[in-house]
Amino acid sequence: MSGLDAQMVVRRNGFVLDVALEIEPGRTVALLGPNGSGKSTVVAALAGLLPVDEGSIVLDGAVLDDPTGRVFVPPEDRRIGVVFQDYLLFPHLSVIENVAFGLRSRGVGRSEATDTAAGWLERLGIAELVERRPGDLSGGQAQRVALARALITDPKMLLLDEPLAALDATTRVELRRILADHLAAFAGPRLFITHDPTEAFLLADEIHIIEHGRVTQVGSADDIRLRPRTPYIADLGGSNLFSGDAARGVVDVGGHALHIADTHISGSVLATIHAHAISLHQHRPEGSPRNTWETTVTRVEHFGDRVRVQTGAPLPITAEVTPGAVADLELREGSAVWVSIKATEIGVEAG
Amino acid sequence: MSRRNRPPVALLILALLGLALFAVPLVALLIRTPWGQLPALLRSDIVADALRLSAVASVSATLIAAVVGVPLAWLLARVEFPGRALVRGLVLLPLVLPPVVGGAVLLFALGRRGVVGQALEQATGLVLPFSTWGVIVAVTFVSMPFLVVTVEGALRNLDARFEGAAATLGASRWTVLRRVTFPMIWPSVAAGLVLTWARALGEFGATITFAGNIQGRTQTLPLAVFVALESNRDAAVALSLIMVAVSLTVLVVLRERWWKAL
């Protein structure tokens, strides 16, 4: 098949990574997991910085690593563009020399490599940084330089290791958009590593959850959010995510008004509401919650000591409650229920 | 200066006493220098020969150290092999060994009746003891560890992920060394080279033991100073002045930036 087909088993100091990944060209997969779950080992194995102990890595029909077949293609011949965590820009080279590095290493002449690099800086909107040193760049600028450096070699696959983790919240939103554009423009398979569910939900076509060196769930953002298979996934997938327009303390989500605590933010925003921050009631609740509406239960799902309750119009949302609450409220598919959310429980960021 | 920031007097006195140990001899040297005769002294045979020989030996030692010492540092820093700790100890031995002992072991190994020296003479006719080549071997033996230690430390401190990043961009192992590893450790290499050269310039014990003290062939600056102290005080002073000036210049030029690399 074209695209990536990898079965990777790596054993190191008692840690075992056993992960299979299939990514078709033009698809973005997010590998989402906590620290120490083996995400960086996956990057190293795919990039060729760490040979697999068992399994195989095949990209575009070419075998890159296969211990039984005694095949190991070194990193310099793999044509996988990598954006590393912390970017790893070469501190002794200027921005343009960093971007041109891949072409120069492949034997392209200096002036041609520099011209092409200048074109990429232009495309990423950082043409003015040409002669700067990496030490003088902001996180967002460094990320774009790293992206240009990886893309310039025309790689067969794009691999991004926590590309947004080093950025502050404001820059992250902007860079996430830029990243989304460039991911969409890249024709090959794309894999990005993250520990942030919001990034995964927004950027990936398919999410693979990795825990303790193994993939525990594969699916769409909705699969992960609504049908989590482990407590870790339930926690990170517990957020309801809406995009809308904010003005004067209200976010308009497809005609439904969500009251939020921040009265200053305006324009296009992302609102997140954790499932366990949502209360369900049999009757119209008394008290202060700013967001209250009546709806019907569309689905009730038990896992362990928690229950996920999905509700329908006007704003489909998933709440997490205890089995006791489900019994008390007599919740089942089709039953009427009141939803209430405090304005302070809604996270809002520009998006 | 506020009272709070004033240093304790006792501490200051001790510090100045320590400083005096270094400053007084230098001042004495400057006072003792026969400035009027200096140009003539520097042109005298004994001084000129020693200067030339020291320049040749110290520069040769530095070049040899660069060519074989940097790869040796790389081997110690990057390749795991059994007995690496022992090999590292062996390389660092000249740093702690009395130079006279260094000269003696060189003699046992490379002397005319030495294990290797005999074979070397039979094969090539080259006799190291009491020759300029012998001086170069002796000063290299004593000074090269400075370069190896400095460069090995720099390689260990270098984040190897940069080299991995370069490889994913298509750089061969040689290109990675040339364009990433070496430029990134260059400040340490430069500092190591300067230290090596300065140590080579000042080498005395191993040189006199292994190569002897022959004017024009094996008599370097420190050896000439030692001899001149007995026969020609003024020449000894002039030679000492040269060595102090060179050493001080090296230290000032190295300054903070390079010392930090150590």
Side-chain angles (χ1 to χ4, degrees), chain A:
Chain A
M1 86 174 233
S2 61
L4 176 79
D5 185 359
Q7 269 88 43
M8 295 169 283
V9 178
V10 178
R11 294 186 196 88
R12 245 189 354 177
N13 308 328
F15 178 83
V16 182
L17 176 88
D18 187 349
V19 164
L21 277 175
E22 277 182 34
I23 312 175
E24 286 165 33
R27 297 266 294 171
T28 303
V29 166
L31 192 62
L32 175 62
N35 288 335
S37 57
K39 301 189 301 271
S40 296
T41 310
V42 170
V43 175
L46 289 173
L49 302 172
L50 186 69
V52 299
D53 294 308
E54 277 173 43
S56 66
I57 298 173
V58 181
L59 179 60
D60 259 4
V63 179
L64 298 182
D65 195 350
D66 179 7
T68 38
R70 293 183 177 279
V71 178
F72 180 78
V73 176
E76 61 266 31
D77 298 326
R78 288 202 177 188
R79 315 277 324 248
I80 295 180
V82 189
V83 173
F84 288 91
Q85 203 171 0
D86 316 327
Y87 314 129
L88 299 181
L89 299 175
F90 305 124
H92 59 289
L93 299 179
S94 67
V95 162
I96 191 121
E97 286 169 329
N98 262 282
V99 175
F101 188 94
L103 294 178
R104 297 281 291 133
S105 296
R106 293 196 159 89
V108 176
R110 183 185 297 273
S111 65
E112 189 190 337
T114 308
D115 286 349
T116 314
W120 273 98
L121 291 180
E122 189 98 30
R123 221 181 292 186
L124 282 155
I126 45 173
E128 75 283 1
L129 299 179
V130 175
E131 288 305 327
R132 292 259 203 106
R133 297 270 154 173
D136 302 328
L137 300 179
S138 70
Q141 291 168 333
Q143 199 250 28
R144 282 188 268 186
V145 175
L147 195 57
R149 186 176 72 169
L151 287 170
I152 198 172
T153 54
D154 188 24
K156 289 184 172 149
M157 177 184 173
L158 198 53
L159 188 51
L160 305 118
D161 190 0
E162 300 270 9
L164 300 166
L167 306 174
D168 59 71
T170 335
T171 324
R172 196 177 304 154
V173 172
E174 187 197 341
L175 266 294
R176 193 167 60 206
R177 275 201 218 113
I178 291 171
L179 202 57
D181 291 346
H182 284 277
L183 283 176
F186 181 77
R190 319 126 179 178
L191 175 67
F192 84 95
I193 311 290
T194 181
H195 65 269
D196 179 350
T198 310
E199 271 169 33
F201 293 160
L202 288 172
L203 293 173
D205 301 311
E206 188 175 81
I207 298 169
H208 292 229
I209 309 287
I210 182 173
E211 293 174 75
H212 311 297
R214 279 163 200 280
V215 172
T216 49
Q217 187 166 359
V218 177
S220 66
D222 277 345
D223 293 334
I224 301 298
R225 281 220 308 274
L226 306 177
R227 285 170 288 281
R229 291 187 20 199
T230 72
Y232 165 75
I233 304 170
D235 272 342
L236 65 82
S239 285
N240 295 280
L241 186 67
F242 305 104
S243 57
D245 290 302
R248 289 182 298 282
V250 176
V251 180
D252 180 348
V253 182
H256 186 88
L258 274 179
H259 294 269
I260 58 173
D262 185 340
T263 54
H264 300 293
I265 196 164
S266 65
S268 167
V269 295
L270 287 170
T272 50
I273 309 165
H274 203 279
H276 58 231
I278 297 165
S279 327
L280 300 178
H281 314 263
Q282 234 170 354
H283 307 288
R284 175 187 274 279
E286 311 266 316
S288 65
R290 303 296 314 278
N291 299 291
T292 307
W293 65 83
E294 189 178 19
T295 179
T296 51
V297 174
T298 57
R299 190 182 174 105
V300 179
E301 202 150 8
H302 293 255
F303 55 99
D305 53 359
R306 299 188 254 186
V307 184
R308 282 270 157 94
V309 179
Q310 281 175 252
T311 63
L315 187 67
I317 199 164
T318 304
E320 189 176 294
V321 294
T322 60
V326 171
D328 288 351
L329 298 170
E330 296 168 20
L331 295 175
R332 58 186 166 271
E333 267 176 51
S335 56
V337 69
W338 282 84
V339 170
S340 81
I341 311 157
K342 286 166 70 179
T344 50
E345 295 286 1
I346 303 176
V348 185
E349 58 174 307

Side-chain angles (χ1 to χ4, degrees), chain B residues 10-188:
Chain B
L11 210 59
L12 207 57
I13 291 172
L14 290 173
L16 290 175
L17 206 61
L19 180 61
L21 183 63
F22 302 112
V24 170
L26 183 63
V27 174
L29 179 68
L30 293 175
I31 293 171
R32 179 66 181 73
T33 302
W35 297 100
Q37 294 162 263
L38 204 56
L41 276 172
L42 290 178
R43 279 195 301 272
S44 70
D45 275 359
I46 185 169
V47 177
D49 281 346
L51 258 177
R52 182 183 54 77
L53 199 60
S54 269
V56 167
S58 61
V59 170
S60 303
T62 309
L63 289 177
I64 293 169
V67 172
V68 299
V70 172
L72 183 55
W74 179 84
L75 184 75
L76 288 174
R78 289 295 167 81
V79 184
E80 276 187 44
F81 56 89
R84 182 163 66 165
L86 190 70
V87 173
R88 185 179 294 119
L90 198 66
V91 171
L92 301 188
L93 197 58
L95 286 179
V96 291
L97 207 61
V100 177
V101 177
V105 296
L106 284 176
L107 215 48
F108 303 146
L110 302 171
R112 296 193 74 161
R113 271 184 288 279
V115 187
V116 180
Q118 205 163 7
L120 190 70
E121 187 182 346
Q122 275 162 11
T124 64
L126 185 66
V127 180
L128 288 175
F130 309 104
S131 74
T132 303
W133 292 112
V135 177
I136 292 172
V137 169
V139 299
T140 306
F141 176 82
V142 174
S143 61
M144 192 165 80
F146 285 87
L147 183 70
V148 178
V149 168
T150 318
V151 175
E152 193 203 341
L155 282 170
R156 283 179 177 282
N157 287 330
L158 178 67
D159 189 343
R161 295 183 309 151
F162 283 106
E163 293 164 319
T168 65
L169 292 166
S172 65
R173 293 192 73 174
W174 190 247
T175 307
V176 173
L177 271 178
R178 193 172 54 80
R179 290 205 60 208
V180 176
T181 313
F182 197 73
M184 285 184 77
I185 63 166
W186 167 245
S188 296

